[in-house]
Amino acid sequence: MDVGSKFPQMQTTIFTEMGLLAREHKAINLGQGFPNFEPHPYLFERYHYYLTNGHNQYAPMMGVSALRDQIVKLHKRTYGVKLNKHDEITITSGATEGVFCAISALIGSGDEIIMFDPAFDSYVPNVELNGGVAVHVELDDHYRIDWNRVADKITDKTKAILINTPHNPCGTTLTESDLDSLWNIIENKNIFIISDEVYQHIIFDGHKHLSPFNDVRMRDRTLAVSSFGKTFHVTGWKVGYVVASKELSAELRKIHQYITFCTHPASQMAIADMMEKFPNYYADMAKDYTERRDFFAKGLNEIGLKTYPVEGSYFQMIDYSPFSTESDKEFAIKLTKEGKVTGIPISVFYETPPQCTVLRFCFAKTYEVLEESVTYLDKYLNK
Ligand SMILES: Cc1ncc(COP(=O)(O)O)c(C=O)c1O
């Protein structure tokens, strides 16, 4: 029978592909973005409490009240912006669902949405499922947005611009000047913004997380998506949220209520308790990741690998051109099989894959694993 596949060309994600290869060849997997260390024990304690005390039925559609209270507090404390917990926050099953609902709320048949390559892999299929058209703009040589390129791509059909800050895989963050440029482009047009901010709290060296949602000029136009998985080292829990104006949240919820309806309640309750008990958790976590980033980058530099600056996220991009001119995909496969370290080739995140010698490594790993990875890389590259 002909299923009439919606995505005949689509294969499994690069994360699955490289993860399987890593397992097959017993390589250290720095490919997929997840921590290999445990979350705070208090989170588990509260999770267990809620699981065994009656929090196993449907949660409210927009999310557990206590968690939305904590998001209000966090947002006020961090960005000075007061959210309305009833109308402006929606808890989703991971940022993946949040991004999907945001795209589905805005994008219909023939609508164009501008996104930046390299782009997180779920964006394009989300747009295409909604009959929309993904319009790709490549980041510049420093992995920053060239707003002239964006301006050139605006048409009567442009419905939204999808940004990601801090950026995966590049680790760059938006600046004040980026926000000004974004505003200049959309000010007189009916263009919305989806802002993927899953790494907003993993930000380094005094860089500020700048969200269009926190900018009064763009608040009404923005759906900002975040994830607790990244922040609390529980990516498997898949708890995320979207902040947006009352009007945009209402549209988002129309989708969310028929996709998952609600998100696992015990996880939400436990995260809320964690946020209440440890308000400094966020700052401590960013400091911890700063130290891991520096430790890893130093090791990589010492063995001759070039590293790109990381302003935010837990990804380190490296340039292996001093060692090989092979394409990044070929090199990533060889490195896994022979060097026993797995990274992600970044060309896969482009509509038109460039010739490049750049891999992405995740440094949300224990110091032992980071050190061992550098030792393996050294042995392989400098043999
Ligand atoms: C940029 C970006 N957006 C969205 C997601 C999905 O987040 P979640 O695991 O909360 O669904 C990820 C996860 O890796 C990501 O890196």
Side-chain angles (χ1 to χ4, degrees), residues 95-108 112-116 122-123 126-127 130 145 147 159-165 174 182 186 191-198 211-213 218-226 241-244 248 252:
T96 308
E97 193 217 332
V99 170
F100 181 75
C101 292
I103 289 174
S104 305
L106 292 178
I107 302 298
E112 294 179 1
I113 175 167
I114 291 178
M115 60 181 66
F116 300 93
S122 73
Y123 299 160
N126 287 186
V127 170
N130 284 288
I145 296 173
W147 292 100
K159 185 75 187 284
I161 297 177
L162 199 174
I163 56 174
N164 173 211
T165 183
L174 289 194
L182 175 58
I186 66 170
I191 296 178
F192 294 85
I193 305 160
I194 298 174
S195 187
D196 181 342
E197 305 178 0
V198 299
S211 167
F213 181 84
M218 291 180 269
R219 183 160 312 150
D220 288 351
R221 311 245 197 144
T222 304
L223 294 129
V225 184
S226 199
Y241 62 96
V242 181
V243 298
L248 284 178
L252 176 107

Side-chain angles (χ1 to χ4, degrees), residues 281-314:
Y281 174 86
Y282 285 83
D284 295 344
M285 183 262 312
K287 187 168 171 289
D288 177 75
Y289 274 130
T290 307
E291 288 163 8
R292 284 177 211 270
R293 177 201 64 173
D294 292 347
F295 176 82
F296 189 45
K298 184 165 175 283
L300 295 169
N301 293 150
E302 279 170 3
I303 63 168
L305 282 166
K306 293 188 203 165
T307 49
Y308 284 87
V310 186
E311 297 166 356
S313 84
Y314 48 46

Side-chain angles (χ1 to χ4, degrees), residues 176-238:
E176 295 280 3
S177 144
D178 286 317
L179 290 187
D180 289 344
S181 302
L182 175 58
W183 177 239
N184 287 339
I185 286 175
I186 66 170
E187 182 178 3
N188 297 314
K189 302 191 170 64
N190 192 39
I191 296 178
F192 294 85
I193 305 160
I194 298 174
S195 187
D196 181 342
E197 305 178 0
V198 299
Y199 302 101
Q200 63 179 289
H201 298 290
I202 308 180
I203 193 156
F204 311 123
D205 308 326
H207 284 285
K208 272 202 191 133
H209 170 65
L210 295 175
S211 167
F213 181 84
N214 297 333
D215 181 322
V216 281
R217 296 172 297 181
M218 291 180 269
R219 183 160 312 150
D220 288 351
R221 311 245 197 144
T222 304
L223 294 129
V225 184
S226 199
S227 170
F228 289 111
K230 309 292 175 186
T231 319
F232 288 101
H233 316 321
V234 285
T235 57
W237 288 15
K238 294 297 265 187

